[in-house]
Amino acid sequence: MNWDIIEGNWKQVKGKFKEQWGKLTDDDFDAIEGRRDQLTGKIQERYGVTRDDAEKQVKEWQGKAKDDWFH
């Protein structure tokens, strides 16, 4: 799925992110506001992984994103 779609539907997709990355807080998600680089940074910070690992997790999650999440 294109990241622009995810970013444009941030409020609808936040729940899916919470399922994947439960350590991220509502304040984290408010600060991220759909920005991929911010999400990657927060994953890195909360989970103690490298930037590359965080980016890989986001990329894998993005590949699993489905259009029906936004209906």
Side-chain angles (χ1 to χ4, degrees):
M1 170 159 302
N2 183 308
W3 192 263
D4 291 336
I5 294 170
I6 294 169
E7 187 174 6
N9 292 282
W10 185 244
K11 290 184 181 185
Q12 291 94 329
V13 80
K14 264 198 309 191
K16 297 293 185 181
F17 281 106
K18 288 179 182 180
E19 290 174 16
Q20 178 73 32
W21 294 287
K23 289 184 181 180
L24 298 180
T25 66
D26 286 334
D27 287 341
D28 290 335
F29 286 110
D30 290 343
I32 293 165
E33 294 182 334
R35 294 174 301 203
R36 185 185 180 116
D37 62 327
Q38 292 290 319
L39 175 61
T40 303
K42 289 294 184 182
I43 293 168
Q44 181 183 8
E45 178 184 324
R46 297 281 186 223
Y47 287 87
V49 298
T50 66
R51 185 99 181 151
D52 287 343
D53 286 343
E55 184 60 40
K56 182 180 176 188
Q57 289 180 31
V58 171
K59 185 176 181 180
E60 288 174 0
W61 182 93
Q62 184 178 352
K64 296 175 187 174
K66 300 186 184 340
D67 289 333
D68 63 354
W69 292 357
F70 308 108
H71 299 287

